[in-house]
Each structure stands twice: as structure tokens, then as C-alpha cells.
Short mmCIF file of all heavy atoms in Angstrom, two decimals:
data_model
loop_
_atom_site.label_atom_id
_atom_site.label_comp_id
_atom_site.label_asym_id
_atom_site.label_seq_id
_atom_site.Cartn_x
_atom_site.Cartn_y
_atom_site.Cartn_z
N THR A 1 -46.19 -11.79 111.72
CA THR A 1 -47.48 -12.53 111.49
C THR A 1 -48.34 -11.77 110.50
O THR A 1 -49.01 -12.37 109.65
CB THR A 1 -48.18 -12.94 112.74
OG1 THR A 1 -48.51 -11.65 113.49
CG2 THR A 1 -47.41 -13.91 113.52
N GLN A 2 -48.34 -10.39 110.68
CA GLN A 2 -49.16 -9.62 109.79
C GLN A 2 -48.59 -9.65 108.35
O GLN A 2 -49.34 -9.77 107.39
CB GLN A 2 -49.25 -8.20 110.33
CG GLN A 2 -49.94 -8.01 111.60
CD GLN A 2 -51.38 -8.49 111.48
OE1 GLN A 2 -52.14 -8.18 110.63
NE2 GLN A 2 -51.86 -9.14 112.54
N PHE A 3 -47.26 -9.50 108.19
CA PHE A 3 -46.63 -9.55 106.88
C PHE A 3 -46.79 -10.94 106.20
O PHE A 3 -46.99 -10.99 105.02
CB PHE A 3 -45.14 -9.24 106.99
CG PHE A 3 -44.91 -7.72 107.23
CD1 PHE A 3 -43.65 -7.34 107.68
CD2 PHE A 3 -45.81 -6.75 106.89
CE1 PHE A 3 -43.39 -5.98 107.89
CE2 PHE A 3 -45.54 -5.33 107.01
CZ PHE A 3 -44.25 -5.02 107.44
N VAL A 4 -46.68 -11.92 107.04
CA VAL A 4 -46.89 -13.30 106.49
C VAL A 4 -48.29 -13.48 105.96
O VAL A 4 -48.50 -13.94 104.79
CB VAL A 4 -46.58 -14.44 107.55
CG1 VAL A 4 -47.12 -15.72 107.04
CG2 VAL A 4 -45.08 -14.53 107.74
N ALA A 5 -49.29 -13.01 106.74
CA ALA A 5 -50.67 -13.02 106.24
C ALA A 5 -50.87 -12.27 104.96
O ALA A 5 -51.59 -12.76 104.03
CB ALA A 5 -51.64 -12.56 107.31
N TYR A 6 -50.26 -11.09 104.89
CA TYR A 6 -50.38 -10.31 103.67
C TYR A 6 -49.73 -10.94 102.47
O TYR A 6 -50.23 -11.01 101.37
CB TYR A 6 -49.87 -8.90 103.93
CG TYR A 6 -49.91 -7.98 102.78
CD1 TYR A 6 -51.14 -7.33 102.41
CD2 TYR A 6 -48.89 -7.77 102.01
CE1 TYR A 6 -51.25 -6.49 101.32
CE2 TYR A 6 -48.89 -6.86 100.83
CZ TYR A 6 -50.13 -6.32 100.55
OH TYR A 6 -50.26 -5.46 99.44
N ALA A 7 -48.46 -11.41 102.75
CA ALA A 7 -47.68 -11.99 101.66
C ALA A 7 -48.26 -13.25 101.05
O ALA A 7 -48.12 -13.49 99.96
CB ALA A 7 -46.19 -12.14 102.11
N THR A 8 -48.74 -14.08 101.98
CA THR A 8 -49.28 -15.44 101.58
C THR A 8 -50.75 -15.47 101.37
O THR A 8 -51.23 -16.48 100.74
CB THR A 8 -48.77 -16.51 102.53
OG1 THR A 8 -49.45 -16.30 103.78
CG2 THR A 8 -47.31 -16.50 102.69
N GLY A 9 -51.49 -14.62 101.89
CA GLY A 9 -52.85 -14.64 101.73
C GLY A 9 -53.50 -15.56 102.80
O GLY A 9 -54.72 -15.78 102.79
N ALA A 10 -52.69 -16.11 103.68
CA ALA A 10 -53.26 -16.97 104.74
C ALA A 10 -52.50 -16.57 106.10
O ALA A 10 -51.32 -16.30 106.08
CB ALA A 10 -52.95 -18.38 104.46
N PRO A 11 -53.32 -16.53 107.09
CA PRO A 11 -52.69 -16.19 108.41
C PRO A 11 -51.67 -17.25 108.90
O PRO A 11 -51.75 -18.44 108.57
CB PRO A 11 -53.90 -16.20 109.35
CG PRO A 11 -54.92 -16.98 108.70
CD PRO A 11 -54.71 -16.93 107.23
N ALA A 12 -50.63 -16.81 109.64
CA ALA A 12 -49.68 -17.72 110.23
C ALA A 12 -50.48 -18.61 111.27
O ALA A 12 -51.24 -18.08 112.06
CB ALA A 12 -48.55 -16.97 110.92
N GLU A 13 -50.19 -19.93 111.17
CA GLU A 13 -50.95 -20.82 112.05
C GLU A 13 -50.01 -21.36 113.08
O GLU A 13 -48.79 -21.03 113.11
CB GLU A 13 -51.41 -21.93 111.23
CG GLU A 13 -52.42 -21.56 110.14
CD GLU A 13 -52.82 -22.66 109.27
OE1 GLU A 13 -52.23 -23.73 109.21
OE2 GLU A 13 -53.86 -22.39 108.45
N PHE A 14 -50.54 -22.22 114.05
CA PHE A 14 -49.79 -22.69 115.10
C PHE A 14 -48.53 -23.55 114.57
O PHE A 14 -47.52 -23.43 115.17
CB PHE A 14 -50.64 -23.66 115.93
CG PHE A 14 -49.97 -24.26 117.14
CD1 PHE A 14 -49.68 -23.45 118.21
CD2 PHE A 14 -49.50 -25.51 117.12
CE1 PHE A 14 -49.11 -23.93 119.35
CE2 PHE A 14 -48.85 -26.04 118.18
CZ PHE A 14 -48.65 -25.24 119.31
N GLY A 15 -48.69 -24.22 113.48
CA GLY A 15 -47.59 -24.97 112.94
C GLY A 15 -46.53 -24.19 112.38
O GLY A 15 -45.38 -24.64 112.12
N ASP A 16 -46.84 -22.87 112.14
CA ASP A 16 -45.78 -21.97 111.53
C ASP A 16 -45.02 -21.25 112.68
O ASP A 16 -44.06 -20.51 112.31
CB ASP A 16 -46.50 -20.87 110.80
CG ASP A 16 -47.37 -21.39 109.56
OD1 ASP A 16 -47.00 -22.48 109.10
OD2 ASP A 16 -48.37 -20.80 109.21
N ARG A 17 -45.28 -21.56 113.91
CA ARG A 17 -44.67 -20.85 115.00
C ARG A 17 -43.10 -20.97 114.97
O ARG A 17 -42.43 -20.08 115.16
CB ARG A 17 -45.26 -21.36 116.30
CG ARG A 17 -44.69 -20.68 117.53
CD ARG A 17 -45.33 -21.16 118.77
NE ARG A 17 -45.09 -22.59 118.81
CZ ARG A 17 -45.58 -23.40 119.76
NH1 ARG A 17 -46.37 -22.94 120.70
NH2 ARG A 17 -45.23 -24.67 119.83
N ALA A 18 -42.63 -22.16 114.67
CA ALA A 18 -41.19 -22.30 114.61
C ALA A 18 -40.51 -21.44 113.61
O ALA A 18 -39.48 -20.85 113.79
CB ALA A 18 -40.73 -23.83 114.42
N GLU A 19 -41.12 -21.32 112.44
CA GLU A 19 -40.57 -20.55 111.38
C GLU A 19 -40.67 -19.07 111.73
O GLU A 19 -39.71 -18.27 111.45
CB GLU A 19 -41.25 -20.81 110.07
CG GLU A 19 -40.65 -20.13 108.85
CD GLU A 19 -39.25 -20.68 108.47
OE1 GLU A 19 -38.80 -21.71 108.94
OE2 GLU A 19 -38.58 -20.04 107.68
N VAL A 20 -41.70 -18.67 112.35
CA VAL A 20 -41.89 -17.23 112.81
C VAL A 20 -40.73 -17.00 113.86
O VAL A 20 -40.12 -15.93 113.76
CB VAL A 20 -43.25 -17.01 113.45
CG1 VAL A 20 -43.26 -15.72 114.20
CG2 VAL A 20 -44.28 -17.07 112.34
N GLU A 21 -40.44 -17.87 114.78
CA GLU A 21 -39.35 -17.65 115.81
C GLU A 21 -37.98 -17.63 115.04
O GLU A 21 -37.17 -16.84 115.42
CB GLU A 21 -39.42 -18.72 116.80
CG GLU A 21 -40.68 -18.64 117.74
CD GLU A 21 -40.73 -17.32 118.42
OE1 GLU A 21 -39.76 -16.83 118.89
OE2 GLU A 21 -41.86 -16.85 118.48
N ARG A 22 -37.80 -18.45 113.99
CA ARG A 22 -36.53 -18.36 113.31
C ARG A 22 -36.34 -17.00 112.55
O ARG A 22 -35.33 -16.44 112.63
CB ARG A 22 -36.56 -19.47 112.22
CG ARG A 22 -35.11 -19.63 111.56
CD ARG A 22 -35.19 -20.29 110.19
NE ARG A 22 -35.96 -19.52 109.20
CZ ARG A 22 -35.58 -18.33 108.70
NH1 ARG A 22 -34.31 -17.79 108.96
NH2 ARG A 22 -36.27 -17.73 107.71
N ILE A 23 -37.49 -16.48 112.02
CA ILE A 23 -37.35 -15.15 111.38
C ILE A 23 -37.12 -14.13 112.38
O ILE A 23 -36.28 -13.23 112.22
CB ILE A 23 -38.81 -14.91 110.68
CG1 ILE A 23 -38.96 -15.79 109.52
CG2 ILE A 23 -38.86 -13.43 110.31
CD1 ILE A 23 -40.35 -15.73 108.88
N LEU A 24 -37.68 -14.22 113.58
CA LEU A 24 -37.49 -13.20 114.70
C LEU A 24 -36.01 -13.40 115.21
O LEU A 24 -35.35 -12.29 115.43
CB LEU A 24 -38.39 -13.48 115.80
CG LEU A 24 -39.85 -13.09 115.54
CD1 LEU A 24 -40.77 -13.60 116.71
CD2 LEU A 24 -39.98 -11.58 115.40
N ASP A 25 -35.53 -14.53 115.29
CA ASP A 25 -34.07 -14.75 115.72
C ASP A 25 -33.13 -14.03 114.72
O ASP A 25 -32.18 -13.43 115.12
CB ASP A 25 -33.77 -16.21 115.93
CG ASP A 25 -34.47 -16.82 117.14
OD1 ASP A 25 -34.94 -16.06 118.06
OD2 ASP A 25 -34.53 -18.08 117.12
N ALA A 26 -33.38 -14.24 113.47
CA ALA A 26 -32.52 -13.65 112.41
C ALA A 26 -32.71 -12.13 112.43
O ALA A 26 -31.66 -11.41 112.25
CB ALA A 26 -32.93 -14.28 111.01
N ALA A 27 -33.84 -11.67 112.57
CA ALA A 27 -34.09 -10.20 112.56
C ALA A 27 -33.50 -9.49 113.83
O ALA A 27 -33.24 -8.38 113.76
CB ALA A 27 -35.54 -9.89 112.37
N GLU A 28 -33.41 -10.25 114.87
CA GLU A 28 -32.96 -9.67 116.15
C GLU A 28 -31.55 -9.17 116.04
O GLU A 28 -31.19 -8.14 116.62
CB GLU A 28 -32.97 -10.75 117.22
CG GLU A 28 -32.53 -10.26 118.59
CD GLU A 28 -32.74 -11.24 119.67
OE1 GLU A 28 -32.63 -12.50 119.38
OE2 GLU A 28 -32.84 -10.90 120.81
N LYS A 29 -30.69 -9.76 115.17
CA LYS A 29 -29.37 -9.29 114.90
C LYS A 29 -29.38 -7.90 114.36
O LYS A 29 -28.33 -7.27 114.42
CB LYS A 29 -28.69 -10.29 113.96
CG LYS A 29 -28.53 -11.75 114.53
CD LYS A 29 -28.16 -12.69 113.53
CE LYS A 29 -28.19 -14.11 113.96
NZ LYS A 29 -28.12 -15.02 112.90
N HIS A 30 -30.45 -7.51 113.73
CA HIS A 30 -30.52 -6.23 113.15
C HIS A 30 -31.55 -5.29 113.80
O HIS A 30 -32.16 -4.43 113.18
CB HIS A 30 -30.89 -6.27 111.60
CG HIS A 30 -29.91 -7.20 110.90
ND1 HIS A 30 -28.69 -6.75 110.51
CD2 HIS A 30 -30.00 -8.52 110.46
CE1 HIS A 30 -28.01 -7.70 109.85
NE2 HIS A 30 -28.83 -8.83 109.86
N GLN A 31 -31.72 -5.61 115.14
CA GLN A 31 -32.65 -4.76 115.97
C GLN A 31 -34.10 -4.80 115.40
O GLN A 31 -34.76 -3.76 115.40
CB GLN A 31 -32.13 -3.24 116.12
CG GLN A 31 -30.92 -3.21 116.96
CD GLN A 31 -29.67 -3.45 116.10
OE1 GLN A 31 -29.55 -3.02 114.97
NE2 GLN A 31 -28.75 -4.17 116.76
N TYR A 32 -34.53 -5.88 114.72
CA TYR A 32 -35.82 -5.99 114.21
C TYR A 32 -36.16 -4.91 113.23
O TYR A 32 -37.33 -4.48 113.14
CB TYR A 32 -36.90 -5.99 115.38
CG TYR A 32 -36.67 -7.11 116.40
CD1 TYR A 32 -36.27 -6.83 117.66
CD2 TYR A 32 -36.84 -8.45 116.05
CE1 TYR A 32 -36.09 -7.80 118.63
CE2 TYR A 32 -36.62 -9.44 116.94
CZ TYR A 32 -36.24 -9.09 118.32
OH TYR A 32 -36.06 -10.00 119.20
N GLY A 33 -35.23 -4.62 112.38
CA GLY A 33 -35.49 -3.61 111.35
C GLY A 33 -36.42 -4.18 110.29
O GLY A 33 -36.42 -5.41 109.97
N MET A 34 -37.30 -3.27 109.69
CA MET A 34 -38.28 -3.77 108.75
C MET A 34 -37.57 -4.43 107.55
O MET A 34 -38.13 -5.50 107.07
CB MET A 34 -39.15 -2.60 108.27
CG MET A 34 -40.19 -2.12 109.24
SD MET A 34 -41.32 -3.39 109.66
CE MET A 34 -41.17 -3.47 111.41
N ARG A 35 -36.51 -3.92 107.07
CA ARG A 35 -35.84 -4.50 106.03
C ARG A 35 -35.40 -5.92 106.23
O ARG A 35 -35.61 -6.83 105.47
CB ARG A 35 -34.62 -3.69 105.54
CG ARG A 35 -33.79 -4.31 104.48
CD ARG A 35 -32.67 -3.55 104.07
NE ARG A 35 -33.18 -2.54 103.22
CZ ARG A 35 -32.37 -1.56 102.67
NH1 ARG A 35 -31.13 -1.39 103.03
NH2 ARG A 35 -32.87 -0.66 101.99
N SER A 36 -34.82 -6.18 107.38
CA SER A 36 -34.43 -7.56 107.82
C SER A 36 -35.68 -8.51 107.99
O SER A 36 -35.57 -9.68 107.58
CB SER A 36 -33.58 -7.56 109.03
OG SER A 36 -34.21 -7.05 110.13
N ILE A 37 -36.74 -7.93 108.49
CA ILE A 37 -37.90 -8.81 108.68
C ILE A 37 -38.44 -9.19 107.30
O ILE A 37 -38.74 -10.41 107.12
CB ILE A 37 -39.00 -8.08 109.59
CG1 ILE A 37 -38.50 -8.02 110.98
CG2 ILE A 37 -40.35 -8.75 109.43
CD1 ILE A 37 -39.45 -7.15 111.93
N VAL A 38 -38.56 -8.27 106.40
CA VAL A 38 -39.12 -8.56 105.14
C VAL A 38 -38.21 -9.50 104.38
O VAL A 38 -38.68 -10.46 103.74
CB VAL A 38 -39.41 -7.25 104.28
CG1 VAL A 38 -39.66 -7.60 102.89
CG2 VAL A 38 -40.47 -6.45 104.94
N GLN A 39 -36.92 -9.36 104.42
CA GLN A 39 -35.95 -10.21 103.75
C GLN A 39 -36.08 -11.66 104.38
O GLN A 39 -36.01 -12.60 103.61
CB GLN A 39 -34.52 -9.67 103.90
CG GLN A 39 -34.17 -8.49 103.08
CD GLN A 39 -32.83 -7.98 103.27
OE1 GLN A 39 -32.17 -8.27 104.24
NE2 GLN A 39 -32.30 -7.22 102.29
N GLU A 40 -36.14 -11.79 105.69
CA GLU A 40 -36.31 -13.09 106.22
C GLU A 40 -37.55 -13.71 105.87
O GLU A 40 -37.66 -14.96 105.67
CB GLU A 40 -36.19 -13.05 107.76
CG GLU A 40 -34.78 -12.65 108.23
CD GLU A 40 -33.68 -13.64 107.76
OE1 GLU A 40 -33.98 -14.83 107.83
OE2 GLU A 40 -32.54 -13.30 107.54
N ILE A 41 -38.61 -13.01 105.79
CA ILE A 41 -39.98 -13.59 105.40
C ILE A 41 -39.85 -14.07 103.98
O ILE A 41 -40.34 -15.16 103.60
CB ILE A 41 -41.13 -12.55 105.56
CG1 ILE A 41 -41.40 -12.40 107.12
CG2 ILE A 41 -42.39 -13.11 104.90
CD1 ILE A 41 -42.36 -11.24 107.40
N VAL A 42 -39.40 -13.28 103.11
CA VAL A 42 -39.23 -13.62 101.69
C VAL A 42 -38.43 -14.86 101.43
O VAL A 42 -38.69 -15.69 100.62
CB VAL A 42 -38.80 -12.48 100.83
CG1 VAL A 42 -38.51 -12.95 99.39
CG2 VAL A 42 -39.77 -11.38 100.80
N GLN A 43 -37.49 -15.10 102.25
CA GLN A 43 -36.53 -16.25 102.15
C GLN A 43 -37.04 -17.43 102.96
O GLN A 43 -36.47 -18.55 102.82
CB GLN A 43 -35.19 -15.93 102.63
CG GLN A 43 -34.52 -14.82 101.81
CD GLN A 43 -33.15 -14.29 102.43
OE1 GLN A 43 -32.78 -14.79 103.41
NE2 GLN A 43 -32.55 -13.41 101.74
N SER A 44 -38.10 -17.33 103.69
CA SER A 44 -38.63 -18.39 104.54
C SER A 44 -39.44 -19.34 103.75
O SER A 44 -39.94 -19.13 102.71
CB SER A 44 -39.36 -17.76 105.72
OG SER A 44 -40.69 -17.32 105.20
#
């Protein structure tokens, strides 16, 4: 949520929750590494 706010200039809202969870699910496979989190955010 902090990276999304920084990258987009707007905070993650309630409607963004599903996409945030999708990002987390994808990053979980890589133990929530920063590289995987950033890659998933950029592709989201």
C-alpha cells in the first residue's frame, strides 16, 4: 500500500483491495521479497 501510494501518487483505496491481495498472493511465492513486490506492483 505504501509503494502503490508512492508510485501512483494516490493511496490504495477500498476498491483496490482485490488487486492488493493479488499482488500479495503473487509475492508470497517469493517470500514477499521486495523485488517481487515491486515487479507485481508495476505490472498491476
